[in-house]
Amino acid sequence: MKPNIKNIAVLTSGGDAPGMNACIRAVVRTGIYNGINMFGVLQGYQGLINNNIIPMNARSVSNIIHLGGTILKTARCLEFKTDEGMDLAYENLKAHDIDALVVIGGDGTFTGARRFAERHGVKVIGIPGTIDNDLYGSDFTLGYDTAINTVIAAVDKIRDTADAHDRLFFIEVMGRDSGCIALRASIATGSEAVLLPEQPTSIEDLIKQLETGAATKKSSSIVIVSEGHKQGGAYDIAKLVKEKFNHYDTKVTILGHLQRGGSPSSFDRILASRLGFAAVNELLKGSTKQMVGLRGNEIALTSLDEALAAHNFKLESDLLEMTKVLSI
Ligand code: ADP
């Protein structure tokens, strides 16, 4: 039986990711197309608690498909983790007669959404929005493709100067627990080595790899370091390598928060549109406590329970193997 949903709200929560705006646009317009009253919640769960809930129409989301960040703002909200905070949020939703919620964020956001649904019976659908690509149930998350493209553009520029001066660069990219950005960026930039949180790499092996490159007349070397690598970040690794390997002038670049910003790539805009469209259609069909994701280029549902219980941290073994072969 179809649920009687009249009012839906959308929020973005946790870390921001390029594509969130394109997704808000898709959610709002799909709702309006189906005759639903649409609302936006400002600053994630904090906005629910503070009653920062605004009506949205098709024009509220004009000209945002190409913008990074999120027009609804995002926040980390400790109060929502308490029962009192959740109850306050629910009172505000009820006051607006809101029946269902679309949340765009990472696993923290989904944990909050699941608890909220269980405590108050609010219907929720989650959309995976994180540059780390570390959520189970979707091959890709919003913002991941754009973040890789941002890293590639930066590393290409660094390669020019590294080459001109015969330098060895250690470039740190985001990914505390997930090496997804580092691995793909490494392949796409032709880096000499990549250090990932999932894989211990001995400094001796890394030096061996760099020595082979130097012996075969490589004029520069680039090592991509995931911020979550167990032996430390780019500065730590550079220090360890420099002690034993000084063929090159060594430099370090931390790419930092620029990886979160920027106009979403075509892939992220289309993914965001598909997931936003699917999220509202699923709510209208009666789904709840589900995440909409992409698997094998098809929209796929994963229960929030399952999405939160598992992690897709397994990096593709063929890509790992390839980085070694193609960097000789
Ligand atoms: P992400 O969604 O990117 O993983 P966070 O881990 O910061 O980001 O989570 C976003 C927000 O989700 C938190 O600030 C909090 O408001 C909410 N949240 C996280 N864990 C819980 C929880 N156990 N119970 C209720 N809300 C939670």
Side-chain angles (χ1 to χ4, degrees):
M1 202 181 76
K2 279 195 173 183
N4 188 17
I5 289 181
K6 295 196 185 74
N7 302 306
I8 297 178
V10 55
L11 61 80
T12 49
S13 161
D16 64 308
M20 281 183 163
N21 280 324
C23 195
I24 294 166
R25 171 181 178 271
V27 168
V28 169
R29 290 196 171 170
T30 305
I32 287 172
Y33 181 87
N34 285 287
I36 305 292
N37 300 311
M38 297 302 296
F39 294 84
V41 182
L42 299 173
Q43 285 167 327
Y45 294 128
Q46 192 64 56
L48 277 186
I49 291 173
N50 295 349
N51 201 15
N52 231 337
I53 301 171
I54 54 168
M56 297 189 87
N57 60 40
R59 296 289 81 74
S60 317
V61 291
S62 292
N63 290 328
I64 64 166
I65 196 168
H66 60 298
L67 299 178
T70 156
I71 61 161
L72 293 177
K73 309 279 185 184
T74 180
R76 302 198 197 264
C77 171
L78 291 181
E79 206 182 341
F80 195 69
K81 293 187 177 185
T82 66
D83 290 348
E84 297 72 27
M86 276 207 175
D87 295 349
L88 214 53
Y90 181 63
E91 289 308 314
N92 290 328
L93 272 192
K94 258 199 341 201
H96 287 88
D97 227 359
I98 291 168
D99 323 285
L101 201 54
V102 176
V103 299
I104 309 169
D107 55 2
T109 300
F110 292 172
T111 306
R114 180 176 61 175
R115 267 188 66 195
F116 197 45
E118 281 164 1
R119 187 169 173 84
H120 291 295
V122 176
K123 296 189 167 50
V124 294
I125 295 283
I127 298 178
T130 162
I131 63 166
D132 291 336
N133 203 40
D134 57 356
L135 285 168
Y136 175 80
S138 190
D139 296 342
F140 297 102
T141 57
L142 291 187
Y144 173 53
D145 184 66
T146 305
I148 295 170
N149 285 323
T150 303
V151 172
I152 291 171
V155 176
D156 285 351
K157 291 189 172 88
I158 291 170
R159 176 70 85 176
D160 291 343
T161 176
D163 224 31
H165 290 275
D166 288 356
R167 278 179 175 153
L168 165 60
F169 265 88
F170 291 87
I171 303 174
E172 187 175 303
V173 303
M174 280 187 167
R176 241 173 270 151
D177 303 302
S178 155
C180 290
I181 291 179
L183 180 60
R184 284 183 187 244
S186 167
I187 291 167
T189 58
S191 82
E192 275 57 42
V194 58
L195 303 185
L196 306 160
E198 294 86 347
Q199 267 198 334
T201 308
S202 79
I203 298 300
E204 285 66 35
D205 285 350
L206 176 61
I207 289 172
K208 231 181 264 165
Q209 228 172 309
L210 294 171
E211 275 171 346
T212 309
T216 54
K217 299 201 168 27
K218 280 208 180 216
S219 59
S220 63
S221 283
I222 285 183
V223 179
I224 307 276
V225 183
S226 238
E227 63 179 334
H229 186 256
K230 299 293 174 275
Q231 276 135 293
Y235 277 109
D236 305 304
I237 304 292
K239 203 165 155 238
L240 291 171
V241 170
K242 210 179 157 84
E243 283 165 10
K244 295 185 188 148
F245 179 79
N246 46 21
H247 297 64
Y248 293 104
D249 183 14
T250 304
K251 300 283 176 203
V252 174
T253 301
I254 312 279
L255 294 184
H257 279 80
L258 69 83
Q259 293 163 87
R260 282 196 182 279
S263 184
S265 65
S266 62
F267 182 87
D268 274 329
R269 294 182 197 197
I270 292 162
L271 179 66
S273 302
R274 288 178 81 178
L275 296 183
F277 175 72
V280 172
N281 285 327
E282 283 303 325
L283 281 174
L284 297 181
K285 275 196 256 168
S287 303
T288 182
K289 289 209 300 166
Q290 302 285 321
M291 180 188 91
V292 290
L294 193 73
R295 272 188 258 148
N297 203 22
E298 302 276 345
I299 296 293
L301 287 184
T302 306
S303 73
L304 290 184
D305 288 337
E306 204 186 340
L308 289 168
H311 283 282
N312 74 346
F313 284 167
K314 254 194 228 130
L315 295 171
E316 299 96 324
S317 54
D318 60 320
L319 297 193
L320 285 169
E321 178 64 24
M322 207 167 73
T323 56
K324 287 195 206 109
V325 175
L326 300 190
S327 62
I328 58 168

